[in-house]
Amino acid sequence: VAAMPKSMPRAHRNLAFVDQYAIYASRGDLKRVAPPSVKKYLGAIQALLGFAFQEQFIPANVAAGIKVEGYTKSGKWHPFSNDELARLFALPLFTQPWTTVHSKSSVTDTTLRWLFLLALFSGGRIEELGQILVADIKREGRVWYIDIDEYIDADVNADKRVKTEASIRVVPIHPRLLSLGFIDHVERLKAAGQIKLFADLTPDMLDVQTKEASRRANRLIDKVTRDPRVVFHSFRHTFKDLCRDADIPIDVHDQLSGHAPANAGGRYGFGRAVTRLAAHLARLKLEMIDWTAVERAAASIAGQTPSHRSVEPKGD
């Protein structure tokens, strides 16, 4: 696996592994699969063989004890630097008119764009964001928020899953996303009868909806950094750092990002009200990004209404 490229053309993905290896193993001009990814794939094989050995289906787990060169538990993923964020959100996807098509991928530019922006201002995992339904975008008073939950609804063919119990949460929608027309986008989807926020994301055989979106997102990230530890998941690390720099209390950014409280007392109650969460979240300004250019590009989308773009919770 370590000899495989980080990404490959769609035509090669259905080839047998031995054929993929023959094409890529000896090439020296490729970014290879990162050690954390190798560890993940190896872990799945080790778990399968471990179960088979435990049930005495095989005489030994030949994968037990194998180490992955270059892998460490600490520092698995790194947050974006300010410069990387500035260059990422200066890419054409964000700064050219949002009606422009940049890719022939099955994942639309609109989906990719909002996945990036939502991750930036929420620290949400890509699969959490990818399974959001239009009905999950709600309002309490003046505050718009996303209801991240876990349930199965056969009526709308929705199967929503979260990683941990703490992942079930509400996340206010940052004023910057309102100014870029996020609620207007949601209203257009609702008017068109759409159920999912990202209708172009479809589950694969493992029921993962965001595999292609993650692949395309990480290719864009590779344009602004050569550090293999900076990937889409780095937005979770970045969000935590941004919250710390804005002096947002740790219980608030734990609740926003879906991390379990560090102490027993923090596990009592439901947490802070969505209006208070919104007031804290509004402290994030991300001034390293040229928002004027992004907002100018967003304005190319017809039908935006200023009423949704004028709501900004007051800070503490």
Side-chain angles (χ1 to χ4, degrees):
V1 175
M4 291 294 97
K6 188 173 182 180
S7 63
M8 66 178 68
R10 190 180 301 275
H12 290 172
R13 294 175 199 163
N14 294 326
L15 295 176
F17 180 79
V18 291
D19 296 325
Q20 293 175 344
Y21 186 88
I23 294 172
Y24 292 108
S26 61
R27 289 181 56 177
D29 58 339
L30 300 172
K31 285 189 175 181
R32 305 291 175 178
V33 177
S37 295
V38 176
K39 176 66 175 177
K40 179 178 69 175
Y41 299 137
L42 177 61
I45 296 171
Q46 288 173 326
L48 177 62
L49 294 180
F51 173 79
F53 175 65
Q54 179 181 333
E55 297 297 317
Q56 300 183 346
F57 297 149
I58 56 177
N61 180 358
V62 294
I66 295 178
K67 305 295 183 182
V68 177
E69 184 178 351
Y71 172 79
T72 59
K73 288 187 177 180
S74 60
K76 182 178 179 181
W77 306 124
H78 276 201
F80 291 91
S81 68
N82 285 352
D83 182 61
E84 287 166 345
L85 284 177
R87 286 187 284 126
L88 178 62
F89 287 93
L91 290 174
L93 178 68
F94 302 100
T95 56
Q96 287 185 3
W98 285 13
T99 50
T100 303
V101 177
H102 301 92
S103 173
K104 296 180 181 179
S105 168
S106 60
V107 177
T108 65
D109 293 342
T110 299
T111 288
L112 192 66
R113 191 181 291 122
W114 285 120
L115 283 173
F116 270 111
L117 289 165
L118 287 169
L120 177 66
F121 284 108
S122 73
R125 302 174 181 91
I126 191 169
E127 188 69 8
E128 288 178 341
L129 301 175
Q131 64 188 7
I132 293 172
L133 305 181
V134 171
D136 294 331
I137 311 302
K138 302 177 180 179
R139 188 173 186 174
E140 182 175 313
R142 291 165 54 87
V143 176
W144 288 95
Y145 66 93
I146 302 171
D147 187 0
I148 297 178
D149 204 347
E150 181 175 52
Y151 60 84
I152 297 176
D153 188 336
D155 292 337
V156 296
N157 193 28
D159 184 359
K160 298 182 58 182
R161 303 173 185 178
V162 293
K163 186 175 181 179
T164 65
E165 185 177 351
S167 301
I168 297 173
R169 64 198 188 279
V170 296
V171 180
I173 297 169
H174 190 276
R176 181 66 67 183
L177 301 183
L178 299 178
S179 72
L180 292 172
F182 179 69
I183 299 302
D184 301 305
H185 173 62
V186 173
E187 294 294 342
R188 287 192 293 272
L189 294 177
K190 189 181 297 184
Q194 293 283 0
I195 301 298
K196 298 174 62 177
L197 183 62
F198 303 116
D200 51 324
L201 301 184
T202 55
D204 63 9
M205 65 180 63
L206 298 177
D207 208 27
V208 175
Q209 300 191 59
T210 55
K211 184 175 181 179
E212 178 60 27
S214 179
R215 182 181 290 115
R216 188 180 168 202
N218 284 317
R219 281 200 294 263
L220 277 181
I221 291 169
D222 285 345
K223 293 180 182 290
V224 301
T225 179
R226 294 185 177 182
D227 189 339
R229 297 167 298 183
V230 178
V231 296
F232 191 92
H233 194 75
S234 296
F235 280 115
R236 279 183 70 74
H237 296 258
T238 303
F239 180 76
K240 298 291 281 190
D241 278 347
L242 291 170
C243 287
R244 295 181 186 108
D245 290 343
D247 292 325
I248 295 175
I250 185 170
D251 71 290
V252 173
H253 56 81
D254 277 348
Q255 188 175 339
L256 288 169
S257 56
H259 284 128
N263 58 68
R267 292 189 284 273
Y268 281 69
F270 290 114
R272 304 217 188 192
V274 68
T275 53
R276 306 310 305 150
L277 293 175
H280 284 291
L281 187 63
R283 295 182 186 179
L284 299 186
K285 305 301 182 183
L286 282 87
E287 295 175 345
M288 75 289 289
I289 295 171
D290 183 0
W291 292 111
T292 300
V294 179
E295 291 194 349
R296 187 183 303 119
S300 66
I301 301 293
Q304 290 188 1
T305 56
S307 60
H308 290 138
R309 294 183 273 121
S310 61
V311 179
E312 181 166 348
K314 295 180 181 179
D316 284 350

